[in-house]
Amino acid sequence: MPADVPTFADAAARPAMVTEHVLGEDRLRQRGAVLTGEALVDFSLLTPAGRGVSLSGLPGTIVRLDGLRLTPAADGRVDLSLLPLAWLSGAALSAGPAGTGHGAGSIGGALDLSLAPAGAGNRSWAVAGQQAGHGIGGLDVRAGDDGGWVSAGFTQGGAVSTPAGLAGTRQGRWHVAGRFAQDIGGAMLTGRGLFASRREGQDQADFHDLALQLRGGRAWQWTLAAATGAHQAAGVGSRQALFSAGVSRQTDMVLPGAVDAVTLAFGAEQRRLRLAATRIVARELYAQAYLPLLQDRPAAEDLGLELGWRQAWIAGRSEALWNVRARWEFFPGVALRGQLARGIDDLASTSGIGRSIGLRLAPAFVPGLVASIDWRRQTAGTARVQAIDAAAFWRGRIGATAQLTLETLVTHHQRADFTPLPVAHFQSLLRVRVEDDGWAAMAGWRQRSPLAGVPSRGGLDLGLERQLSPRIRLVASISNAADAGRADGPVGRQALLQLVAGF
């Protein structure tokens, strides 16, 4: 998981308190995709939104890269068709308002992307294939050492999401990126620069993002961050500049009945955002606390409460954002979790409340299993959504050397009223992977049933992977294997061959 800005000192060690789905680098590559948006359609929580994303069709799904917001396009959504998949090392999606931790703009949920770490080293990624009769190609070459890297490349083709599925494109894109990390006097300075452009006839778009973060401290851990970015398409542009500062500490205060100490975090953020002719200035202050209440007790292995408050001043208005989250592990590896939270959009014109309660399982008596089921109800202005989300992952040995991985993601929308985007009644993914002696075979099935009287659609994905050497991997995949589709229409069979090599 990418680190929040700010974050609790032990945030990475605490299990999620809300509905959360995670895809690692290998999982993203196995999808057989060229663009980030293609790989993310496996998230059953997401609703197709063209080049962007929307959680359950609601407004306000914030997209961050390593904890810092990416600049949205003029329509308010981040253009994921400009982000090559080769840049990323992981993605995580959480449901519900996250205004306390992320600020205004997060009503539906948050998508956190992770850039390849500074010490990722040298690597080349090449892809070639076909989608409904049209060629797909791409190349990304990354060179670097422990202190950082630079990469450059291009992609041709790929697909964007539509309510009916993925639609093929003939876009040509180039991209350049870099990242560094430098220890300066006990503090860590990190930075990134991303530049991308796409062309398809009269459709043109350009994007850039620059960011710096400085982290340090021992008892009190502090973070300073600054970022700026812009997006330009069809003569309409957007720009963003932000600065944030935060401190966090695990205090010496231990509550009666607990083992771990209370953790506190405070901070401030200022953002300037221009979406076409609209200009927004946001200033925010926040405070968060994580309170371990009971630990290592009968029926209370770990009971914790998280409280957050953020005061936002946007467009001449003062808005309070808050959240209450709790997690109760009543048996080792079995925990109840829930949240109640309020969020607002970037314009402070729409507010929403999110409620959720769920069960998470990671029992020691079933090694390799992690599962969860959550019920949530969310509002955003007049829009109302009620859904059940389930996820399960199991990995274990079969036979002497083979490994089997089973994964499923399911979202069932019980209701979706007045949402800006159409929402699927049922959306699911089932994926199976078998590995043995350097080979891996994969099969997956995606199902989508719209609320309106449109027939449901399914997609079969097949893949074969070969580890040719410790540094070279070959991946062959076919997405939507049972659907021929059209080059200019939704879905369509897509075949890809990927070669990933370290050097």
Side-chain angles (χ1 to χ4, degrees):
M1 278 289 295
D4 287 345
V5 178
T7 183
F8 290 118
D10 61 344
R14 287 204 307 273
M17 293 186 171
V18 296
T19 303
E20 182 183 65
H21 294 167
V22 179
L23 298 177
E25 183 176 9
D26 286 347
R27 178 69 184 75
L28 291 171
R29 184 186 62 249
Q30 293 160 12
R31 175 63 178 80
V34 175
L35 305 177
T36 297
E38 289 181 77
L40 297 183
V41 298
D42 282 350
F43 280 134
S44 61
L45 291 165
L46 289 179
T47 295
R51 303 193 202 298
V53 293
S54 172
L55 195 143
S56 292
L58 295 169
T61 300
I62 195 172
V63 180
R64 307 189 307 165
L65 182 62
D66 291 333
L68 293 175
R69 295 169 179 244
L70 290 174
T71 303
D75 64 358
R77 298 189 183 98
V78 173
D79 187 348
L80 294 177
S81 71
L82 285 165
L83 299 182
L85 199 58
W87 279 353
L88 302 183
S89 64
L93 181 67
S94 57
T100 301
H102 301 166
S106 178
I107 302 179
L111 173 62
D112 277 297
L113 305 176
S114 299
L115 197 62
N122 303 324
R123 185 229 55 196
S124 65
W125 170 84
V127 59
Q130 191 177 72
Q131 200 272 343
H134 291 279
I136 303 172
L139 176 68
D140 180 80
V141 178
R142 184 178 69 209
D145 54 24
D146 292 340
W149 51 262
V150 294
S151 76
F154 74 92
T155 56
Q156 178 69 39
V160 297
S161 60
T162 73
L166 290 173
T169 74
R170 302 184 194 181
Q171 297 172 359
R173 310 168 200 84
W174 63 263
H175 59 267
V176 178
R179 183 170 193 176
F180 75 88
Q182 179 66 46
D183 190 341
I184 52 173
M188 181 60 68
L189 176 66
T190 60
R192 70 172 187 241
L194 313 175
F195 303 86
S197 180
R198 74 158 184 265
R199 299 289 185 272
E200 184 179 13
Q202 297 301 312
D203 179 19
Q204 302 181 7
D206 299 289
F207 168 81
H208 77 260
D209 174 81
L210 302 170
L212 289 173
Q213 288 181 296
L214 184 64
R215 298 174 181 266
R218 294 186 178 180
W220 285 97
Q221 300 181 14
W222 53 266
T223 300
L224 299 174
T228 182
H231 180 278
Q232 183 79 23
V236 181
S238 60
R239 300 187 68 87
Q240 177 178 263
L242 68 84
F243 175 80
S244 67
V247 294
S248 64
R249 176 176 179 172
Q250 188 170 33
T251 68
D252 297 328
M253 182 190 307
V254 179
L255 299 178
V259 175
D260 296 330
V262 172
T263 301
L264 301 175
F266 309 92
E269 182 174 312
Q270 176 173 297
R271 296 187 308 279
R272 293 181 179 272
L273 178 63
R274 178 172 63 83
L275 301 175
T278 303
R279 287 172 169 77
I280 305 114
V281 177
R283 298 178 177 87
E284 301 172 353
L285 298 173
Y286 70 88
Q288 292 176 287
Y290 180 72
L291 311 174
L293 301 178
L294 289 174
Q295 293 176 303
D296 298 338
R297 301 297 177 93
E301 291 287 326
D302 190 0
L303 174 61
L305 182 67
E306 181 184 305
L307 305 173
W309 182 276
R310 181 179 288 243
Q311 195 68 35
W313 293 271
I314 305 174
R317 300 181 58 179
S318 177
E319 294 281 351
L321 315 178
W322 47 264
N323 73 261
V324 179
R325 296 176 176 176
R327 182 179 181 275
W328 173 29
E329 187 176 353
F330 55 89
F331 184 82
V334 182
L336 290 171
R337 63 189 184 185
Q339 86 154 349
L340 178 64
R342 179 179 189 266
I344 60 173
D345 66 356
D346 279 316
L347 303 177
S349 59
T350 302
S351 64
I353 300 290
R355 305 168 179 85
S356 69
I357 185 169
L359 178 69
R360 185 179 186 274
L361 304 172
F365 56 83
V366 186
L369 173 66
V370 179
S372 67
I373 183 168
D374 296 89
W375 172 90
R376 60 183 166 92
R377 177 183 292 169
Q378 295 179 249
T379 65
T382 59
R384 302 285 188 276
V385 166
Q386 184 171 304
I388 295 175
D389 306 304
F393 179 91
W394 179 80
R395 180 181 174 88
R397 188 178 297 278
I398 54 172
T401 59
Q403 292 276 351
L404 174 65
T405 301
L406 301 176
E407 178 184 19
T408 185
L409 301 174
V410 177
T411 294
H412 168 56
H413 285 99
Q414 299 168 308
R415 62 179 296 181
D417 303 328
F418 309 111
T419 56
L421 295 168
V423 178
H425 179 66
F426 179 83
Q427 209 164 287
S428 66
L429 166 76
L430 174 63
R431 195 170 294 275
V432 180
R433 177 181 170 92
V434 179
E435 305 169 61
D436 189 21
D437 194 27
W439 288 90
M442 299 159 282
W445 177 259
R446 287 172 285 106
Q447 184 74 27
R448 177 182 171 83
S449 304
L451 283 175
V454 179
S456 63
R457 302 192 71 106
L460 175 65
D461 302 330
L462 302 172
L464 186 64
E465 189 170 324
R466 173 61 172 166
Q467 191 75 40
L468 300 176
S469 75
R471 289 179 171 269
I472 301 177
R473 181 173 297 184
L474 188 66
V475 183
S477 61
I478 300 177
S479 301
N480 304 312
D483 192 335
R486 307 188 314 274
D488 58 348
V491 195
R493 188 181 301 120
Q494 177 169 294
L496 284 180
L497 184 64
Q498 302 177 65
L499 180 65
V500 183
F503 59 92

